[in-house]
């Protein structure tokens, strides 16, 4: 157990639908990063939150949004889903000033049918 | 932005040594990471380099040359369980924060 918790582990939904993925960072970590991993693209950075504030944006579609709550858990909302959104979605957390890396959760496998 | 290149696939024999190379181009280098990822699982942290030179951690070592935009991960005494994807990630400044960008990974196959 890495300490980063993601739910659900698997999600199957239809095109056009909306889903919410949840991430609880490791205790003490203030930053949460969301990544999308598909077979042909590798790990793509989506968005980062730090202590409730959006800090950096990557290749995140307008149909996707995220937020970080006061208890530091984060949610990634994916709407108007398309077949191409099928992927593994990971969140990672980090501790400022401690460079032993970013700790990843076990991911949510999203399948859009 | 940055460009990270690593070989797509490598094969090696159990007990041998393998070196996985990573080259990158970035305008604001702030560290290089190596991660191991088994299929369908989370990436797990292996090493971090921010200064030139070699970092050794048991069977795994990582080397960095910032002037050449080059790193390698060295795996010694290979075991079957080392069969996995190895991801090189370069961190650079992105809009006031520091974000690691990952390469596509090198799939290592260890055979008996």
């Amino acid at each position: 157990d890495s300490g980063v918790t993601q739910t659900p582990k698997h999600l199957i939904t239809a095109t056009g639908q909306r889903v919410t993925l949840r991430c609880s960072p490791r205790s003490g970590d203030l930053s949460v990063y969301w990544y999308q991993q598909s077979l042909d693209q590798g790990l793509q950075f989506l968005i980062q939150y730090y202590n409730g504030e959006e800090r950096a944006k990557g290749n995140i579609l307008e149909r996707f949004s995220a937020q970080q709550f006061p208890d530091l858990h984060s949610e990634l909302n994916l709407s108007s889903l398309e077949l191409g959104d099928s992927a593994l979605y990971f969140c990672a957390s980090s501790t400022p000033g401690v460079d032993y890396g970013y700790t990843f959760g076990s991911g949510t496998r999203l399948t859009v049918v | 932005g940055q460009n990270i290149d690593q070989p797509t696939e490598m094969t090696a024999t159990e007990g041998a040594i393998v070196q996985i190379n990573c080259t990158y181009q970035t305008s604001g280098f702030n560290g290089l990471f190596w991660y191991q990822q088994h299929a369908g699982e989370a990436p797990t942290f292996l090493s971090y380099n921010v200064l030139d030179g070699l970092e050794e951690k048991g069977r795994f070592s990582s080397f960095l040359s910032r002037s050449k935009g080059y790193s390698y991960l060295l795996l010694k005494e290979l075991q079957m369980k080392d069969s996995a994807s190895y991801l090189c990630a370069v961190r650079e400044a992105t809009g006031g924060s520091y974000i690691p960008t990952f390469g596509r990974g090198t799939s290592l196959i260890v055979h008996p």
Side-chain angles (χ1 to χ4, degrees), chain A residues 33 35 37 40-43 45 48 55-57 88 90 99-107 109, chain B residues 33 35 37 39-45 48 87 91 94-104:
Chain A
Y33 307 76
Y35 284 84
Q37 187 174 41
D40 58 344
Q41 289 292 328
L43 265 172
F45 169 66
Q48 179 210 0
R55 269 291 178 92
K57 254 184 174 177
L88 262 171
F90 288 104
D99 280 322
Y100 54 74
Y102 300 77
T103 303
F104 283 79
S106 57
R109 180 173 293 282
Chain B
F33 299 83
Y35 278 79
Q37 186 180 27
E41 298 183 9
T44 55
F45 172 76
Y48 170 71
L87 311 177
R91 183 168 63 188
T94 303
S97 191
Y98 292 94
I99 303 298
T101 298
F102 286 79
R104 294 196 175 196

Side-chain angles (χ1 to χ4, degrees), chain B:
Chain B
Q2 53 187 287
N3 191 21
I4 301 172
D5 286 316
Q6 46 182 135
T8 303
E9 187 175 292
M10 299 181 71
T11 59
T13 306
E14 193 176 14
I17 299 173
V18 71
Q19 178 175 312
I20 302 174
N21 296 324
C22 172
T23 58
Y24 64 89
Q25 294 173 314
T26 181
S27 53
F29 179 83
N30 191 259
L32 187 143
F33 299 83
W34 283 95
Y35 278 79
Q36 180 192 61
Q37 186 180 27
H38 286 97
E41 298 183 9
T44 55
F45 172 76
L46 290 178
S47 68
Y48 170 71
N49 295 71
V50 67
L51 300 176
D52 291 352
L54 188 68
E55 294 283 340
E56 296 187 81
K57 256 189 186 182
R59 295 190 299 117
F60 292 57
S61 304
S62 58
F63 171 83
L64 174 67
S65 168
R66 289 172 296 169
S67 62
K68 294 182 180 176
Y70 168 68
S71 173
Y72 68 72
L73 179 70
L74 193 71
L75 293 78
K76 303 175 188 174
E77 301 168 16
L78 280 172
Q79 302 174 11
M80 298 297 289
K81 67 178 183 179
D82 296 329
S83 293
S85 184
Y86 291 86
L87 311 177
C88 170
V90 176
R91 183 168 63 188
E92 69 171 0
T94 303
S97 191
Y98 292 94
I99 303 298
T101 298
F102 286 79
R104 294 196 175 196
T106 298
S107 178
L108 174 65
I109 301 167
V110 180
H111 55 83

Side-chain angles (χ1 to χ4, degrees), chain A residues 57-77:
Chain A
K57 254 184 174 177
N59 301 317
I60 188 165
L61 300 172
E62 285 192 12
R63 301 184 284 109
F64 295 2
S65 64
Q67 53 185 326
Q68 187 179 28
F69 295 85
D71 67 352
L72 301 179
H73 91 270
S74 177
E75 293 181 356
L76 179 67
N77 301 296

